[in-house]
């Protein structure tokens, strides 16, 4: 999904879709829109991949692939960035700074409890709002 603009993922996506890209509305094209989907749609369970913290190239259509046009007429090309990042490099730099911040270091154990620890199931999961539809995993 996220790495569509980079080989070998471009070729794999084309192979999966019978030689054409998937419908433009279903492609990764906007960080703000993807963020909104994850926040507001319980069936949208995307997670960040490591490239969000070190590889600005995955956000740019450097090879000029024709990724199609969305139903609203918008052409899909480079990934739309959030308003706080003016370039893919700035987006990656700020993401990495956040990941390496004191706040994240001080709270990393809480994420580990949710994903790998005691807040995965039962009452602790319920209290932490860490419940997912059983077919998601």
């Amino acid at each position: 999904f996220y790495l569509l603009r980079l080989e070998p993922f471009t070729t794999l996506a084309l192979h999966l879709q019978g030689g054409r890209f998937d419908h433009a509305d279903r492609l990764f094209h906007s960080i703000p829109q993807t963020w909104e989907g994850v926040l507001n749609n319980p069936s949208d369970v995307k997670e960040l991949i490591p490239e969000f913290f070190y590889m600005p190239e995955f956000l740019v259509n450097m090879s000029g692939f024709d990724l199609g046009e969305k139903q609203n007429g918008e052409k899909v090309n480079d990934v739309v960035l959030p308003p706080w990042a003016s370039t893919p490099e700035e987006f990656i730099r700020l993401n990495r700074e956040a990941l390496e911040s004191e706040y994240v270091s001080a709270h990393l154990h809480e994420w580990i409890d949710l994903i790998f620890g005691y807040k995965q199931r039962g009452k602790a999961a319920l209290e932490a709002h860490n419940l997912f539809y059983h077919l998601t995993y």
Side-chain angles (χ1 to χ4, degrees), residues 107-131:
H107 294 273
L108 187 58
H109 68 283
E110 296 168 16
W111 176 81
I112 291 170
D113 288 341
L114 288 171
I115 304 302
F116 303 109
Y118 75 100
K119 292 183 179 179
Q120 287 183 57
R121 295 190 172 105
K123 184 177 180 188
L126 181 64
E127 290 171 355
H129 304 287
N130 194 28
L131 303 172

Side-chain angles (χ1 to χ4, degrees), residues 11-111:
T11 300
L12 292 170
L14 289 169
H15 182 71
L16 180 67
Q17 296 293 331
R20 306 167 80 187
F21 287 108
D22 196 2
H23 295 285
D25 288 285
R26 291 196 294 242
L27 299 178
F28 174 51
H29 65 279
S30 166
I31 291 171
Q33 187 171 343
T34 302
W35 175 254
E36 284 300 315
V38 170
L39 285 181
N40 298 314
N41 182 350
S43 64
D44 192 342
V45 292
K46 294 176 187 76
E47 296 179 355
L48 295 183
I49 57 174
E51 287 78 3
F52 272 86
F53 303 95
Y54 77 92
M55 183 181 279
E57 296 84 3
F58 89 97
L59 300 168
V60 180
N61 187 7
M62 292 184 292
S63 297
F65 297 116
D66 182 0
L67 301 173
E69 191 174 289
K70 295 171 37 183
Q71 290 180 17
N72 67 3
E74 179 185 347
K75 190 157 177 49
V76 175
N77 193 27
D78 294 344
V79 174
V80 176
L81 301 172
W84 46 264
S86 58
T87 66
E89 292 78 14
E90 182 180 29
F91 175 79
I92 296 297
R93 179 182 58 77
L94 292 170
N95 262 3
R96 188 164 186 151
E97 283 180 16
L99 179 67
E100 295 173 347
S101 71
E102 289 298 320
Y103 179 86
V104 170
S105 294
H107 294 273
L108 187 58
H109 68 283
E110 296 168 16
W111 176 81

